[in-house]
Amino acid sequence: MSEPLALTGAPNEPSATGSVRTLPPSLAAAPARRRAFTEALAAWALAGPAVFFLLALFFLPVIGVFVIAITDWQFGGLTLSFVGLANFREIFADDGFRASLVNTIVYVLIVVPGTLVFGLLIALLIESGKSCRSFYRAIHFLPFMATLTAMAVAWEALLHPTIGLVNQTLAAMGLPTANWLRDENTALPVLAVIGIWQNLGYAMVLFLAGLKSIPQDLYDAADIDGADLWLDRLRTVTLPLLGPVSMFVVIVVALRAFESFDTVKVLTQGGPGHASEMLLYTLYRESFEYLRTGYGAAVAVVFLAIVVTLTLVQARLMDRKVHYQ
């Protein structure tokens, strides 16, 4: 009769009779399973707080907005009724909402190219300079760091129709003046200029980092190939290699432009009429001034859908143009 299988000792250890004792596969794999379970438990313990706050602060509020959007709930109300897609039909039939949607798109179409062009231009000028680079970077980056509400108050003083520095300067030069924030033709462009000014420093810093990463050897090779002028070097070396940075700047600035609220609230309140009203201000006004929370949630859903769609489209289209072999 063979010796009974021992369950103690190391696996494959020779016994006193010279035979080799082996453990069953299930028992031999038990320590590995315990170790894997312990590692998984530690991973969830470390990631658990982040996952919880991500759910609590992002996913659950988004779900809540979708639910409220299909109700007639008013802020502070104790009852609500499900109305299906009635809120969405109402907002697309509302002239005010359509005006705010068009204004937001026009605002983005002004702010994004303006920020991209002027941010790159300032970055090129600073990079080509020999002195005071840190000072110029700080000066241009300051508006991005400052509180936009405080800056909007300063712009309100500058654009005052009678005592504002802008109109006084134009009058001294013999140029026509305007009530910039109360004129339907100028209110939205002025807000767009403020948006460019506010995002300019951020784009400049990113472009400066991109310029620093371009090897000098490529410029030397361009010189050998006949690209002597700065415009040729810009077209053949700088702009192509700044493709990834440009894509990032476009996406981030576009998102910030769609989220514009502070300057509208402080400077124009969406006026005159609906000339400068934008989506986030419409959402705020409907939800917290008119207390039509269900309607405001429907505006938020449309706003979220537009932002996500445009972000994905931008990333997909521009990603094809920024990879180089």
Side-chain angles (χ1 to χ4, degrees):
M1 181 179 298
S2 62
E3 181 181 353
L5 179 65
L7 299 180
T8 59
N12 300 329
E13 178 183 349
S15 63
T17 61
S19 61
V20 178
R21 295 176 297 180
T22 59
L23 292 175
S26 59
L27 293 180
R33 287 198 301 268
R34 285 197 298 269
R35 184 167 56 254
F37 175 77
T38 302
E39 292 176 354
L41 189 63
W44 277 107
L46 294 173
V51 173
F52 170 77
F53 284 111
L54 184 64
L55 291 173
L57 300 177
F58 182 74
F59 290 108
L60 292 181
V62 169
I63 295 173
V65 167
F66 275 91
V67 172
I68 294 174
I70 58 175
T71 70
D72 62 353
W73 184 57
Q74 294 186 348
F75 187 77
L78 300 179
T79 60
L80 58 84
S81 301
F82 287 96
V83 296
L85 300 179
N87 287 326
F88 294 95
R89 289 192 294 267
E90 183 178 356
I91 64 174
F92 285 110
D94 185 1
D95 293 336
F97 173 80
R98 291 200 297 267
S100 69
L101 179 60
V102 172
N103 290 338
T104 303
I105 294 173
V106 171
Y107 179 85
V108 172
L109 292 177
I110 297 174
V111 170
V112 174
T115 303
L116 193 71
V117 171
F118 287 107
L120 177 59
L121 179 61
I122 292 175
L124 290 171
L125 292 175
I126 292 176
E127 187 64 20
S128 63
K130 302 299 181 182
S131 61
C132 299
R133 291 185 180 182
S134 299
F135 173 75
Y136 293 133
R137 285 197 295 263
I139 289 297
H140 287 96
F141 193 69
L142 183 62
F144 182 79
M145 298 295 295
T147 303
L148 190 55
T149 302
M151 293 296 99
V153 174
W155 275 101
E156 186 176 23
L158 290 172
L159 296 169
H160 193 277
T162 56
I163 62 174
L165 181 61
V166 174
N167 273 350
Q168 288 189 355
T169 302
L170 292 175
M173 298 172 62
L175 298 175
T177 61
N179 191 351
W180 303 100
L181 299 176
R182 296 294 178 265
D183 189 329
E184 293 184 356
N185 298 319
T186 60
L188 187 62
V190 165
L191 293 182
V193 170
I194 296 174
I196 294 173
W197 170 81
Q198 203 265 335
N199 289 287
L200 195 61
Y202 182 70
M204 175 207 65
V205 168
L206 292 178
F207 282 126
L208 281 174
L211 291 172
K212 292 287 187 183
S213 67
I214 299 177
Q216 182 62 35
D217 295 344
L218 296 178
Y219 290 110
D220 296 337
D223 288 337
I224 295 174
D225 291 337
D228 300 331
L229 300 177
W230 69 269
L231 185 60
D232 295 331
R233 292 156 59 92
L234 178 68
R235 179 177 54 84
T236 59
V237 178
T238 305
L239 291 181
L241 292 179
L242 285 179
V245 177
S246 301
M247 181 192 70
F248 184 78
V249 170
V250 167
I251 292 176
V252 173
V253 173
L255 289 176
R256 289 176 57 85
F258 266 103
E259 295 169 0
S260 177
F261 172 78
D262 307 68
T263 51
V264 179
K265 174 62 177 174
V266 175
L267 295 178
T268 66
Q269 292 82 45
H274 296 287
S276 64
E277 185 171 336
M278 287 186 267
L279 284 178
L280 274 190
Y281 186 76
T282 301
L283 190 159
Y284 163 81
R285 186 192 62 193
E286 295 292 340
S287 298
F288 300 106
E289 290 185 359
Y290 301 158
L291 303 181
R292 301 172 62 195
T293 311
Y295 185 95
V299 175
V301 170
V302 174
F303 173 80
L304 180 62
I306 293 173
V307 170
V308 171
T309 301
L310 288 180
T311 302
L312 294 177
V313 170
Q314 283 180 334
R316 179 63 62 87
L317 293 179
M318 299 190 65
D319 189 56
R320 301 175 181 176
K321 302 179 182 179
V322 298
H323 295 291
Y324 304 95
Q325 301 297 332

